[in-house]
Amino acid sequence: MSQCCMAGEGSKQEGSKQAVKQFQLPALPYDFNALEPTISAEIMNLHYTKHHQAYVNNLNKALEQYAEAEYKNDLQTMIALQSLIKFNGGGHINHSIFWTNLASQKNGGGTPPNGKLAELINRDYGSLDKLIEQMSAKTSAIQGSGWGWLGYNKAKGKLTIRTCENQDPLSTKGVIPLLGIDVWEHAYYLQYKNVRADYVKAIWNIVNWKNVAERFALASS
Ligand code: MN3
């Protein structure tokens, strides 16, 4: 699995200030057209090269400004930057997970999980179909922009379906993210127009359950 969201190369040193970590757009694990017809190449291209890249750029800019403010002991500016860091950092975290949560059907997209994850889905939801039904309903009903998630509540040892507003990462709810569905309009509008429910219904055809199971294994170990 790719290392999500670790700061990469490109740290730099300015004077005596602390080095500012530069986050980078992770490689997309498939071509832009790999998820067609569920998600068009045009959407994938824009979503990855424009939207995700913008979160990365704006995160790096905000972190640089934060380091500057910290260097100057400018607490008011540091506090003012926190929402920008949360929004753009959350966007970077969420999309980095999202790309790996999907796969073309010839690479296993839509193939149901087996093993421990399948057992827990059956225990907590009755069946995969019932999980899909519940998560689709909650995700489609999000007001405005946000994400639907299947997460793992480690304290309770249970799977949980949650929704997040804007780009709030699931970690803000104390839950480990396993599978995210981006329901910002930029994720589907060019293809599905206003019918978000059709996009959410279709995306299950390309869910990479192998990736979800790997995330579950890490989360539950
Ligand atoms: Mn998005």
Side-chain angles (χ1 to χ4, degrees):
M1 193 187 316
S2 65
Q3 286 279 317
C4 167
C5 316
M6 302 295 286
E9 304 298 311
S11 297
K12 59 182 179 185
Q13 195 81 33
E14 276 180 42
S16 58
K17 283 178 223 163
Q18 249 190 317
V20 176
K21 287 167 185 158
Q22 296 281 308
F23 287 88
Q24 291 177 355
L25 193 64
L28 196 66
Y30 35 72
D31 294 334
F32 291 136
N33 65 3
L35 306 180
E36 288 190 339
T38 307
I39 299 178
S40 71
E42 186 185 18
I43 289 178
M44 284 303 300
N45 189 341
L46 289 167
H47 200 173
Y48 174 75
T49 66
K50 304 295 180 191
H51 292 274
H52 190 170
Q53 183 71 64
Y55 296 121
V56 171
N57 294 346
N58 292 329
L59 172 64
N60 286 331
K61 202 164 100 189
L63 289 173
E64 225 168 275
Q65 290 169 345
Y66 190 93
E68 180 79 25
E70 195 173 31
Y71 179 67
K72 294 176 179 167
N73 284 322
D74 181 354
L75 187 55
Q76 292 192 75
T77 301
M78 288 165 72
I79 291 170
L81 285 164
Q82 284 180 345
S83 66
L84 266 180
I85 294 169
K86 183 180 182 185
F87 181 77
N88 291 292
H92 178 45
I93 290 169
N94 292 338
H95 289 86
S96 298
I97 297 169
F98 184 60
W99 308 133
T100 66
N101 279 163
L102 303 175
S104 65
Q105 290 186 327
K106 74 169 190 278
N107 283 312
T111 303
N114 47 34
K116 280 257 179 236
L117 176 62
E119 282 170 30
L120 217 60
I121 288 171
N122 290 334
R123 189 197 71 186
D124 293 347
Y125 294 97
S127 69
L128 181 62
D129 284 348
K130 284 183 182 152
L131 163 70
I132 289 173
E133 196 181 306
Q134 282 187 40
M135 187 163 156
S136 297
K138 286 186 180 172
T139 302
S140 298
I142 292 170
Q143 291 184 340
S145 299
W147 290 73
W149 288 99
L150 175 66
Y152 183 65
N153 184 326
K154 194 162 186 165
K156 293 184 176 169
K158 287 185 76 166
L159 296 171
T160 179
I161 295 167
R162 306 296 278 270
T163 59
C164 291
E165 293 177 350
N166 301 314
Q167 295 293 356
D168 293 359
L170 188 61
S171 57
T172 57
K173 297 185 187 290
V175 176
I176 302 169
L178 304 178
L179 168 63
I181 302 178
D182 184 349
V183 290
W184 280 60
E185 285 188 345
H186 67 229
Y188 63 87
Y189 205 89
L190 285 175
Q191 210 176 340
Y192 295 88
K193 304 293 186 292
N194 56 312
V195 193
R196 179 192 276 175
D198 283 358
Y199 156 72
V200 171
K201 187 178 176 194
I203 206 166
W204 298 104
N205 295 326
I206 50 167
V207 167
N208 182 353
W209 286 105
K210 191 167 165 281
N211 177 265
V212 180
E214 284 168 8
R215 292 182 182 280
F216 169 70
L218 279 176
S220 59
S221 64

